[in-house]
């Protein structure tokens, strides 16, 4: 578990790996045998883009007063930016074959990498619990529709959750733990299975609503925004769309480390981001416009529509599809990151399976439904952690693309030798930390100080830009950077 392949031991110039830094899950993946194709990456986005949370965000734009073309423009702006950011982030994973915590060692040092890894993992663990709870709400609706008598189990409260709520939450919790125990390849297969189901379901739901509305929709609400306020909201919407994916932009290498080619990343991202997001936008416009035309109300989520489906069979099918979707989103967005973060923290004790179980247990014991129902936790704790992701991204990308020009000595990412490229000062790159801290403070100020509220939607961009500029100014550009493949210590791509 903690040793590289035996062949690496006999190769001159390859440094010895440290068991504090290396195990089979943190090791780089061999180029040969990688399995994530363009379709794998496309289905990843096909699931995540159509998450209930994203629909809630986009439907919120309609509620704010944006009409059909303004919503599509806002999402389009965000999609173009995301395609660029995620493609460059994905290339890093394909070249090095390493997961995000190891990628962070390049800029922050072999021990300083714990900072970005734990921030990213902490956000994900809380959201894993919350998303599982939201999925359990859909399952409760489904079960009560099938067996109305179960409603009697949904009225009490045990630690903030009803008896039926506990049953549905624990069931979905177990399902996800079982999937993760089979590793990233099982997640890849699940995403490939779920992607087409989600697309067909959402398109069908939009068509059904279009018919219910008499073949036409409302293109905007009665309080539509105009002029400067409209344009500010459009660009703010596009910026927030990028911020939603701030976590993925950071650790996309967790997936692309197993991608077959750089072309597969470009192709998968193209169909999965701008094209798929355009389809997502059209569905949002139809759902919101149709419901507003029918009764003048604005829905908050597709699950609101599912509950109104008069046919029990169709309601069950739609609810099951939403469950498949939520699990798919949770696995890739909120389960993988903490697994690698915990494995990186305790590489001698944890592997992918064990770290997955630990992550899931934490996601359960924090009683996430209580956190979700507390606005202070959502806004300040999770919002605050999210505001830190921009500066981390800026530092890491500036170091990889601008300072090193993609020249990475992969074997030394696993070495504790004091002369190693990523040892810096006792394993910490103080220059990266010095760039991160002021950028993070300014990002938090922009996100939360009331007087700066008009700029709050752009806090990720301020943080990322400032982090990159500060690091570029502080970094030691006199060093010689070597480009050394990780193939000698790489392991077969089982993920």
């Amino acid at each position: 578990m903690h040793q590289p392949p035996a062949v690496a031991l006999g190769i001159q110039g390859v440094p010895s790996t440290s068991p504090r830094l290396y195990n089979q899950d943190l090791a780089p993946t061999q180029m040969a045998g990688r399995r994530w194709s363009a379709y794998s990456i496309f289905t990843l986005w096909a699931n995540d883009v159509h998450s209930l949370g994203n629909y809630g965000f986009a439907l919120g734009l309609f509620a704010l007063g944006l009409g059909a073309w303004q919503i599509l423009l806002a999402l389009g702006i965000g999609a173009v930016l995301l395609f660029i950011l995620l493609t460059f982030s994905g290339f890093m994973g394909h070249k090095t074959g390493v997961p995000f915590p190891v990628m962070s060692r390049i800029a922050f040092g072999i021990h300083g990498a714990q900072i970005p890894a734990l921030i990213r993992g902490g956000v994900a663990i809380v959201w894993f619990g919350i998303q599982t709870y939201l999925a359990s709400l859909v399952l409760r609706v489904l079960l009560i529709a099938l067996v109305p008598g179960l409603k009697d189990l949904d009225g009490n409260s045990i630690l903030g959750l009803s008896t039926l709520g506990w049953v549905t939450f624990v069931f979905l919790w177990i399902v996800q733990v079982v999937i993760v125990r089979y590793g990233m390849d099982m997640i890849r297969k699940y995403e490939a299975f779920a992607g087409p189901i989600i697309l067909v379901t959402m398109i069908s739901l939009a068509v059904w609503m279009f018919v219910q509305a008499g073949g036409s929709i409302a293109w905007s609400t009665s309080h539509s925004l105009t002029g400067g306020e409209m344009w500010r909201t459009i660009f703010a919407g596009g910026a927030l769309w990028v911020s939603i994916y701030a976590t993925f932009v950071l650790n996309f290498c967790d997936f692309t480390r197993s991608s077959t080619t750089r072309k597969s990343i470009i192709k998968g991202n193209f169909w999965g981001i701008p094209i798929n997001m355009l389809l997502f936008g059209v569905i949002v416009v139809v759902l919101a416009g149709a419901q507003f035309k029918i009764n003048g109300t604005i829905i908050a989520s597709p699950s609101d529509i599912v509950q109104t489906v008069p046919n029990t069979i169709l309601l069950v099918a739609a609810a099951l599809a939403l469950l498949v979707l939520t699990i798919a989103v949770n696995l890739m967005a909120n389960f993988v990151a903490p697994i690698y973060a915990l494995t990186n923290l305790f590489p001698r004790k944890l592997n992918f399976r064990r770290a997955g179980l630990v992550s899931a247990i934490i996601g359960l014991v924090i009683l996430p439904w209580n956190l979700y129902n507390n606005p202070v936790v959502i806004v300040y704790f999770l919002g605050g952690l999210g505001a830190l992701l921009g500066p981390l991204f800026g530092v890491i990308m500036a170091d990889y693309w601008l300072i090193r020009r993609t020249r990475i000595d992969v074997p030394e990412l696993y070495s504790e030798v004091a002369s190693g490229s990523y040892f810096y000062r006792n394993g910490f790159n103080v220059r990266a930390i010095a760039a991160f801290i002021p950028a993070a403070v300014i990002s938090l100020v922009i996100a939360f100080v009331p007087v700066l509220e008009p700029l709050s939607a752009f806090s990720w961009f301020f943080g990322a830009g400032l982090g990159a500029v500060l690091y570029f100014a502080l970094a030691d550009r006199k060093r010689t950077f070597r480009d050394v493949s990780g193939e000698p210590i790489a392991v077969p791509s089982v993920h």
Side-chain angles (χ1 to χ4, degrees):
M1 178 177 174
H2 304 102
Q3 295 294 327
V7 67
L9 302 177
I11 299 178
Q12 188 174 6
V14 175
S16 59
T17 59
S18 167
R20 295 175 61 192
L21 302 172
Y22 183 99
N23 69 18
Q24 298 298 302
D25 292 301
L26 296 175
T29 55
Q30 294 175 356
M31 280 288 184
R34 293 184 178 182
R35 305 177 186 178
W36 280 71
S37 63
Y39 179 74
S40 303
I41 294 172
F42 163 73
T43 54
L44 184 151
W45 301 125
N47 290 304
D48 193 73
V49 168
H50 293 270
S51 71
L52 296 182
N54 284 352
Y55 275 103
F57 164 76
L59 290 166
L61 296 179
F62 190 80
L64 286 174
L66 292 186
W69 72 266
Q70 292 105 322
I71 292 175
L72 292 176
L73 179 58
L75 297 178
I77 292 170
V80 171
L81 293 171
L82 281 172
F83 174 75
I84 296 170
L85 296 173
L86 284 162
T87 298
F88 278 101
S89 179
F91 284 170
M92 295 162 62
H94 175 263
K95 176 181 171 63
T96 61
V98 302
F100 173 66
V102 178
M103 185 73 70
S104 300
R105 295 173 188 173
I106 299 171
F108 285 87
I110 55 175
H111 300 315
Q114 301 293 0
I115 298 171
L118 290 177
I119 291 174
R120 172 65 182 100
V123 174
I125 284 180
V126 177
W127 277 115
F128 162 76
I130 289 174
Q131 290 283 2
T132 302
Y133 163 65
L134 294 177
S136 73
L137 296 180
V138 177
L139 183 55
R140 281 153 70 178
V141 171
L142 171 61
L143 292 176
I144 292 173
L146 292 174
V147 186
L150 291 176
K151 192 173 181 62
D152 296 336
L153 300 176
D154 203 30
N156 62 330
S157 178
I158 305 172
L159 297 177
L161 206 59
S162 68
T163 300
L164 183 60
W166 272 104
V167 171
T168 54
F169 181 90
V170 172
F171 171 75
L172 294 174
W173 184 90
I174 292 173
V175 168
Q176 292 173 96
V177 170
V178 170
I179 293 174
V180 166
R181 285 188 64 80
Y182 286 93
M184 283 286 284
D185 197 48
M186 179 58 74
I187 294 176
R188 176 183 64 84
K189 292 176 180 176
Y190 183 85
E191 303 299 327
F193 154 77
I197 292 176
I198 301 312
L199 290 175
V200 170
T201 300
M202 291 303 178
I203 292 172
S204 300
L205 203 58
V207 171
W208 182 74
M209 283 297 295
F210 186 73
V211 172
Q212 292 294 109
S216 64
I217 62 172
W219 294 99
S220 62
T221 63
S222 55
H223 59 281
S224 298
L225 298 178
T226 59
E229 182 64 15
M230 177 193 74
W231 285 106
R232 193 198 75 82
T233 305
I234 288 174
F235 285 108
L240 287 171
W241 192 230
V242 173
S243 299
I244 287 173
Y245 285 90
T247 51
F248 248 131
V249 167
L250 261 185
N251 75 304
F252 191 35
C253 59
D254 287 342
F255 303 92
T256 58
R257 65 187 294 235
S258 296
S259 58
T260 52
T261 61
R262 282 166 59 115
K263 185 178 180 181
S264 69
I265 297 173
I266 297 172
K267 189 176 179 180
N269 279 351
F270 174 74
W271 288 102
I273 301 176
I275 302 302
N276 183 41
M277 285 182 178
L278 176 62
L279 174 63
F280 166 83
V282 171
I283 293 173
V284 166
V285 167
V286 172
L287 292 180
Q291 186 66 55
F292 191 78
K293 181 188 176 186
I294 291 171
N295 58 13
T297 61
I298 301 173
I299 59 172
S301 168
S303 58
D304 295 341
I305 294 176
V306 170
Q307 296 181 49
T308 66
V309 175
N311 186 296
T312 302
I313 295 177
L314 293 178
L315 185 149
V316 169
L320 285 174
L322 292 183
L323 284 175
V324 169
L325 164 65
T326 306
I327 290 175
V329 171
N330 222 12
L331 287 173
M332 61 190 179
N334 301 318
F335 220 160
V336 172
I339 287 175
Y340 280 128
L342 288 171
T343 303
N344 188 59
L345 193 61
F346 304 107
R348 301 187 198 191
K349 301 291 184 181
L350 298 177
N351 58 14
F352 196 90
R353 280 188 172 188
R354 295 173 192 165
L357 183 58
V358 172
S359 299
I361 291 173
I362 296 173
L364 171 63
V365 300
I366 60 175
L367 305 180
W369 45 89
N370 292 331
L371 300 180
Y372 181 73
N373 293 323
N374 187 335
V376 174
V377 172
I378 294 296
V379 173
Y380 290 102
F381 175 67
L382 290 177
L385 285 177
L388 302 180
L389 301 179
L392 289 175
F393 179 77
V395 170
I396 291 171
M397 295 295 281
D399 181 75
Y400 183 92
W401 290 102
L402 302 179
I403 303 299
R404 299 178 182 277
R405 305 289 181 90
T406 76
R407 296 190 296 273
I408 308 299
D409 189 334
V410 176
E412 290 202 353
L413 290 170
Y414 303 89
S415 172
E416 288 190 281
V417 176
S419 60
S421 301
Y422 312 103
F423 189 80
Y424 296 108
R425 186 179 301 175
N426 297 319
F428 292 84
N429 183 4
V430 294
R431 296 172 189 257
I433 296 172
F436 166 70
I437 291 175
V441 170
I442 291 175
S443 182
L444 289 170
V445 168
I446 293 173
F448 295 119
V449 173
V451 71
L452 298 176
E453 193 274 335
L455 298 176
S456 61
F458 306 93
S459 62
W460 185 90
F461 290 90
F462 280 105
L466 188 57
V469 169
L470 288 175
Y471 185 73
F472 188 79
L474 294 173
D476 182 4
R477 291 190 289 278
K478 296 179 181 179
R479 299 176 61 189
T480 301
F481 303 114
R482 298 194 308 156
D483 193 31
V484 181
S485 171
E487 283 292 314
I489 62 169
V491 297
S493 179
V494 297
H495 300 324

